[in-house]
Amino acid sequence: MRKIAVKNVRVVLRTSLGFAALGLGSSVAGSGVVALLLVLQGLPGDVGDRGWVLGLTAAGIVAAALLAGTLWTAWLQRRTAVWFVLGRPPSESEARRALRLPVDMAVVSGTLWLIGTVVLTVLAGVLGSADDAVGMATVIGLGGLTTVGLTYLAAEWVARPVMTIALDVLPPRGSLPVTVLTRLVVTWALAGGVPLVGVLLIATPPELGSGDHTASLIMLSVIGLGVGAISTALLARAVAAPLHRLRVALDEIARGNNDVAVDVDDSSEIGRLQTSVNQLAAGLREQARMRDLFGRHVGADVARHALEYGASLSGDVREVTALFVDVVDSTALAYRTPPEELVGKLNRLFAAVVSAVNARGGLVNKFQGDAALCIFGAPTRLSDAPTAALAAARAIRDAVRETGELDLGIGVSSGPVFAGQLGSSSRLEYTVIGDAVNEAARLTELAKGVPSRVLASDAVVSAALPGEAAHWEKHGELELRGRQEATPTWTAAAQS
């Protein structure tokens, strides 16, 4: 917290010094340029031997303006510096005042220049003539407009650190106080509008002053080039740089990297774009998180199927292989084992089940307490579901035997089933219903008493590839609960 406060103090000092340098530099430079133009136009000399009064008054106005501008700017900044130094987020009113800093700086500069223009214009008219007053007002007015415009553009750049935090509290929305069009108009006025107006006023009658117009025109051209370059650079920094960062962020999102964020440091349409990109990235992150959770609950294949085809009470009949896993004597196990320990053992069992099934393209359809139903052939079709299911059954059996924590039975059966969504429009579950599933569950019950702990129906082993079928041997015909006829079964060989 202390480091943050120290950092904020440094930023405030840097921002304050930037505003001070901006106010002082723009005022001095603007005053100097105006004074030079007045000399070139011969306006001080046109008022006679009392021109020194005009010069002395102008110097006094500049000094007073510098002092008043410094104090005024410091008063405006003090409301922002408090929350910034303390490292706390600003209130909405404080954020609103912070976002107005560039406009307020321009208002300060414009007010001081307006006062100076009025005073010197009236004085020139009193000491000289009406033409002298018009010339004085024109030159000082154009200089003031240039200074105010540059002050506004530069203040936006200097105030960026403060505006970034303020925009977190008060993001750009509704009617925007600043627009890109405003900046373009100000830049055009500085780069071409004001200098060209000055050229027209000097080159066309009536003549303003008795000085060398050629020198004044050259001076205006130089000023136009310099101010145009500065204003264009400030515009590029205010518009092009944020757009470049937005493009980089969108490229990252297009490549699948949603963990991006753009600093919202602009109160114009660009700030809206920055906010929208952040909202887009946040929405995509939330979608990815929901997709991940969805996939963990129902399986990646089911999640992909639901996202591709939508959620509906529909499905189709598939030829699948069902694999059922159930823990032996789970009731007694739950009685003598603490719940936390039992959950740990079951999680390790299911981890082995998921690993074996996923590795062979199957789907762990559901966990039922201490049992699991696995499907091969739905929703993703497999070229050889029986072989994959038999190999998974042996892998699960071997993995559980290695840990020695639990005993289980595994049943495998094949046949046509309904595979699809089951439930209501508000609560759906992807499942499979058919005789093959029931047969796998019945085989699991009997497999608990078989040394290999695995039983498969004849249909599964007959459809498997010879390489996998070689790991299985006939077990005999068994009467399954709920059936009238005996079912031929196979069991995994002792050395499988």
Side-chain angles (χ1 to χ4, degrees):
M1 186 68 181
R2 181 179 178 81
K3 291 182 179 179
I4 296 176
V6 172
K7 180 181 178 181
N8 289 344
V9 170
R10 292 175 180 172
V11 173
V12 168
L13 289 176
R14 188 163 58 247
T15 305
S16 300
L17 291 176
F19 277 127
L22 174 62
L24 181 63
S26 62
S27 298
V28 171
S31 301
V33 170
V34 169
L36 181 58
L37 283 173
L38 289 174
V39 170
L40 291 176
Q41 286 300 108
L43 288 175
D46 289 347
V47 299
D49 56 1
R50 291 179 296 177
W52 64 271
V53 177
L54 192 63
L56 188 61
T57 303
I61 291 176
V62 170
L66 290 177
L67 178 60
T70 302
L71 295 176
W72 196 348
T73 302
W75 181 78
L76 290 173
Q77 280 192 274
R78 65 162 180 78
R79 299 177 298 183
T80 300
V82 173
W83 57 262
F84 197 78
V85 170
L86 294 177
R88 65 170 176 82
S91 63
E92 287 195 7
S93 60
E94 291 172 332
R96 192 172 289 107
R97 285 195 294 265
L99 295 176
R100 281 189 53 83
L101 276 176
V103 176
D104 290 341
M105 286 289 295
V107 169
V108 171
S109 179
T111 302
L112 296 176
W113 273 90
L114 179 61
I115 294 173
T117 302
V118 171
V119 172
L120 293 177
T121 298
V122 171
L123 188 59
V126 172
L127 297 177
S129 63
D131 291 340
D132 294 332
V134 172
M136 183 70 69
T138 300
V139 174
I140 298 179
L142 292 178
L145 289 175
T146 302
T147 305
V148 170
L150 281 177
T151 299
Y152 172 75
L153 293 178
E156 281 195 326
W157 170 46
V158 174
R160 289 277 168 167
V162 176
M163 294 176 68
T164 301
I165 299 177
L167 286 168
D168 285 339
V169 176
L170 201 66
R173 64 169 71 94
S175 178
L176 300 174
V178 178
T179 64
V180 174
L181 179 61
T182 303
R183 292 173 179 153
L184 290 173
V185 170
V186 172
T187 303
W188 169 83
L190 294 174
V194 173
L196 289 177
V197 168
V199 169
L200 288 174
L201 291 175
I202 291 176
T204 57
E207 294 186 355
L208 301 178
S210 59
D212 185 1
H213 293 345
T214 301
S216 297
L217 293 174
I218 293 174
M219 184 65 183
L220 283 173
S221 300
V222 173
I223 293 172
L225 290 173
V227 173
I230 295 173
S231 59
T232 303
L234 292 172
L235 177 66
R237 189 177 185 90
V239 176
L243 290 179
H244 173 72
R245 292 195 297 271
L246 285 172
R247 183 185 63 80
V248 171
L250 290 173
D251 287 344
E252 288 293 321
I253 293 175
R255 286 193 288 267
N257 179 19
N258 300 328
D259 192 21
V260 297
V262 181
D263 288 337
V264 181
D265 58 0
D266 196 290
S267 57
S268 68
E269 296 94 336
I270 294 176
R272 279 188 175 178
L273 285 175
Q274 292 169 332
T275 303
S276 298
V277 169
N278 288 338
Q279 291 173 345
L280 171 65
L284 291 175
R285 286 195 300 272
E286 182 64 17
Q287 287 184 8
R289 190 178 72 87
M290 295 299 294
R291 185 192 296 263
D292 178 64
L293 290 174
F294 185 35
R296 290 175 185 268
H297 280 277
V298 302
D301 291 335
V302 174
R304 193 178 304 112
H305 184 273
L307 291 172
E308 182 176 356
Y309 296 103
S312 63
L313 293 170
S314 62
D316 57 359
V317 176
R318 295 277 189 93
E319 187 74 24
V320 304
T321 300
L323 184 154
F324 204 86
V325 180
D326 192 17
V327 174
V328 174
D329 200 13
S330 58
T331 302
L333 181 65
Y335 177 76
R336 65 175 182 267
T337 306
E340 298 84 356
E341 183 181 343
L342 178 59
V343 169
K345 290 181 178 182
L346 290 176
N347 283 337
R348 286 186 286 275
L349 163 65
F350 291 144
V353 172
V354 171
S355 176
V357 172
N358 286 350
R360 293 160 179 82
L363 165 70
V364 180
N365 182 237
K366 59 173 63 69
F367 296 113
Q368 300 172 334
D370 55 0
L373 172 62
C374 310
I375 303 299
F376 294 81
T380 303
R381 298 181 184 274
L382 297 179
S383 59
D384 190 5
T387 299
L390 292 174
R394 293 188 298 107
I396 294 170
R397 188 271 316 270
D398 294 341
V400 174
R401 280 184 172 177
E402 286 182 6
T403 62
E405 289 186 323
L406 296 172
D407 193 8
L408 49 75
I410 303 174
V412 188
S413 178
S414 286
V417 300
F418 170 83
Q421 305 286 359
L422 186 68
S424 68
S425 58
S426 60
R427 178 68 171 85
L428 297 174
E429 180 182 15
Y430 186 87
T431 189
V432 288
I433 297 177
D435 184 63
V437 179
N438 297 332
E439 186 176 68
R442 302 294 181 262
L443 290 172
T444 301
E445 294 178 4
L446 298 177
K448 296 176 182 179
V450 175
S452 68
R453 294 296 192 267
V454 185
L455 284 177
S457 68
D458 183 69
V460 180
V461 179
S462 299
L465 294 176
E468 177 59 35
H471 295 286
W472 296 77
E473 58 187 23
K474 283 182 178 270
H475 180 68
E477 295 188 352
L478 299 175
E479 291 187 6
L480 303 183
R481 181 163 53 89
R483 291 198 170 192
Q484 301 295 329
E485 299 178 357
T487 301
T489 60
W490 294 67
T491 186
Q495 300 295 328
S496 59

